[in-house]
Amino acid sequence: MFPRSEYPSRLSLTLAIEALSRVESDKISVSLALAKTVRLLGAEDYGAISSANRLVRETLRRQNLIDKIIHTVLDSKLAEGLGLGARSFIRLYTYHARLSGRGKTNPSALVKFGRAILGWEEMAPIEEALGKILSLNMKTLFAGISDNE
């Protein structure tokens, strides 16, 4: 998805968080959510917009697996009580850190961007889970699950 040295920029992560939140809250398509977000934020950097688009689409494509990972490391009451921004960020982080094949090399950059975008108060409930996501053994995640699930 991203070249080895490229990580989502702060703008692309901001666009992705907002667009993913809009997809969930307004039940609209990724294209429409991203277009509204770009218009709202006045973004003009095509690279950041394109990066956000890929990030949101890939995250939604793997949302069931991402949510299973999140619910494994995060208390279910806490997971359900997260705001849209924090929920979108942890989904994007999980995709990038565990499923994109590139995130384990520098996930702290995403966390710093997340704090800058959402604020420390919104990030505080999920901070511990972010480390657990990186250390989660994926084989144990699927232990005991049949092929039908």
Side-chain angles (χ1 to χ4, degrees):
M1 179 173 157
F2 300 103
R4 277 246 181 252
S5 62
E6 184 186 338
Y7 292 93
S9 67
R10 181 175 173 173
L11 177 59
S12 65
L13 190 59
T14 302
L15 292 169
I17 290 169
E18 181 65 25
L20 193 56
S21 296
R22 283 179 183 264
V23 167
E24 186 174 348
S25 67
D26 300 347
K27 308 288 187 230
I28 57 177
S29 71
V30 173
S31 300
L32 182 56
L34 194 57
K36 286 183 174 190
T37 301
V38 166
R39 195 173 324 116
L40 175 74
L41 299 178
E44 296 178 355
D45 181 355
Y46 179 76
I49 296 167
S50 177
S51 177
N53 183 39
R54 285 191 312 269
L55 191 55
V56 172
R57 288 183 189 280
E58 291 299 317
T59 299
L60 286 173
R61 196 175 109 187
R62 294 173 176 84
Q63 186 170 341
N64 289 340
L65 175 58
I66 289 169
D67 285 348
K68 179 153 183 65
I69 292 169
I70 292 168
H71 286 289
T72 300
V73 300
L74 199 60
D75 179 61
S76 59
K77 280 186 176 181
L78 181 59
E80 295 302 319
L82 290 176
L84 276 176
R87 190 174 325 141
S88 294
F89 175 79
I90 199 169
R91 283 178 175 156
L92 293 162
Y93 175 87
T94 302
Y95 166 73
H96 186 72
R98 290 309 306 251
L99 304 175
S100 71
R102 296 198 166 67
K104 280 192 168 184
T105 56
N106 191 13
S108 62
L110 286 181
V111 176
K112 287 178 186 176
F113 286 154
R115 277 191 214 112
I117 295 164
L118 298 173
W120 68 269
E121 290 175 336
E122 193 165 353
M123 288 288 290
I126 63 173
E127 291 271 346
E128 186 178 332
L130 299 177
K132 290 179 181 178
I133 288 169
L134 289 177
S135 62
L136 181 68
N137 183 346
M138 296 295 274
K139 289 181 182 177
T140 60
L141 183 68
F142 297 114
I145 296 178
S146 69
D147 289 340
N148 295 333
E149 291 183 63

